[in-house]
Amino acid sequence: MEQPAAPAVPHDPAETRLTITSPEQMRELGRRLAKLLRPGDLVMLSGELGAGKTTLTRGLGEGLDVRGAVTSPTFVIARVHPSLGDGPPLVHVDAYRLSGGLDEMEDLDLDVSLPDSVIVVEWGEGKVEELTEDRLQVVIHRAVGDTTDEVRQVTVTGLGERWESADLGTLAA
């Protein structure tokens, strides 16, 4: 008699937690993260206003060697930064002003850009998860209120098969 298949054991997501103490360290984290990225990767960034999402993306742009200054795309919603070499372009999206889900983001054609690009979406929770099951979620926590504290707690979580065997611990180097 044939044995029944063992129940699938869900994989814990790949995850690492980091303490960042300056904007330069946040940019350096972005440069290190860029080394792990490849075309087709979706990176979702979340955190309070001023947490460092755009600073992290600036480091990603430097690490991916893309053209143009990486600045917040709040008013244009999305910016494409072509590669200066043979790497993927960086598509930087700020979904803060978008209230709907993927339907509202459809005009951006992210599904068309995804296979060839690295797409970074700030404020994308509940809006872009349908693009792919494989994504990297970066949550940046900072002290809120009247503070000049530069300390950020960053949690990087890889979701989906793409990130199952990723060594996110290299980001702490």
PDB file of all heavy atoms in Angstrom, residues 9 51 59 64 122 134 165:
ATOM      1  N   VAL A   9       5.021  21.325   4.695  1.00  0.00           N
ATOM      2  CA  VAL A   9       5.429  22.151   5.825  1.00  0.00           C
ATOM      3  C   VAL A   9       5.717  23.542   5.289  1.00  0.00           C
ATOM      4  O   VAL A   9       6.574  23.706   4.419  1.00  0.00           O
ATOM      5  CB  VAL A   9       6.690  21.567   6.516  1.00  0.00           C
ATOM      6  CG1 VAL A   9       7.130  22.470   7.645  1.00  0.00           C
ATOM      7  CG2 VAL A   9       6.423  20.158   6.990  1.00  0.00           C
ATOM      8  N   ALA A  51      11.111  57.908   7.435  1.00  0.00           N
ATOM      9  CA  ALA A  51      11.792  56.730   7.982  1.00  0.00           C
ATOM     10  C   ALA A  51      13.072  56.384   7.227  1.00  0.00           C
ATOM     11  O   ALA A  51      13.983  55.796   7.800  1.00  0.00           O
ATOM     12  CB  ALA A  51      10.858  55.520   7.991  1.00  0.00           C
ATOM     13  N   GLY A  59      20.321  54.249  -2.294  1.00  0.00           N
ATOM     14  CA  GLY A  59      21.410  53.277  -2.217  1.00  0.00           C
ATOM     15  C   GLY A  59      21.217  52.127  -3.191  1.00  0.00           C
ATOM     16  O   GLY A  59      22.172  51.654  -3.807  1.00  0.00           O
ATOM     17  N   LEU A  64      22.733  49.343  -8.089  1.00  0.00           N
ATOM     18  CA  LEU A  64      22.332  48.812  -9.392  1.00  0.00           C
ATOM     19  C   LEU A  64      22.971  49.582 -10.540  1.00  0.00           C
ATOM     20  O   LEU A  64      22.833  49.184 -11.696  1.00  0.00           O
ATOM     21  CB  LEU A  64      20.798  48.854  -9.542  1.00  0.00           C
ATOM     22  CG  LEU A  64      20.006  47.908  -8.645  1.00  0.00           C
ATOM     23  CD1 LEU A  64      18.509  48.218  -8.732  1.00  0.00           C
ATOM     24  CD2 LEU A  64      20.280  46.455  -9.004  1.00  0.00           C
ATOM     25  N   GLU A 122       7.228  52.197  -2.624  1.00  0.00           N
ATOM     26  CA  GLU A 122       7.013  52.755  -1.297  1.00  0.00           C
ATOM     27  C   GLU A 122       5.507  52.820  -1.065  1.00  0.00           C
ATOM     28  O   GLU A 122       4.753  53.155  -1.977  1.00  0.00           O
ATOM     29  CB  GLU A 122       7.601  54.167  -1.203  1.00  0.00           C
ATOM     30  CG  GLU A 122       9.099  54.224  -1.396  1.00  0.00           C
ATOM     31  CD  GLU A 122       9.661  55.630  -1.203  1.00  0.00           C
ATOM     32  OE1 GLU A 122       9.067  56.422  -0.440  1.00  0.00           O
ATOM     33  OE2 GLU A 122      10.696  55.916  -1.816  1.00  0.00           O
ATOM     34  N   ASP A 134       6.519  36.322  -5.089  1.00  0.00           N
ATOM     35  CA  ASP A 134       7.915  36.483  -4.689  1.00  0.00           C
ATOM     36  C   ASP A 134       8.208  37.966  -4.529  1.00  0.00           C
ATOM     37  O   ASP A 134       8.212  38.711  -5.512  1.00  0.00           O
ATOM     38  CB  ASP A 134       8.850  35.893  -5.760  1.00  0.00           C
ATOM     39  CG  ASP A 134       8.651  34.408  -5.928  1.00  0.00           C
ATOM     40  OD1 ASP A 134       8.564  33.707  -4.910  1.00  0.00           O
ATOM     41  OD2 ASP A 134       8.592  33.958  -7.083  1.00  0.00           O
ATOM     42  N   SER A 165      15.854  30.457  -0.222  1.00  0.00           N
ATOM     43  CA  SER A 165      17.232  30.115   0.128  1.00  0.00           C
ATOM     44  C   SER A 165      18.148  31.338   0.165  1.00  0.00           C
ATOM     45  O   SER A 165      19.366  31.203   0.254  1.00  0.00           O
ATOM     46  CB  SER A 165      17.784  29.082  -0.859  1.00  0.00           C
ATOM     47  OG  SER A 165      17.774  29.625  -2.167  1.00  0.00           O
TER      48      SER A 165
END
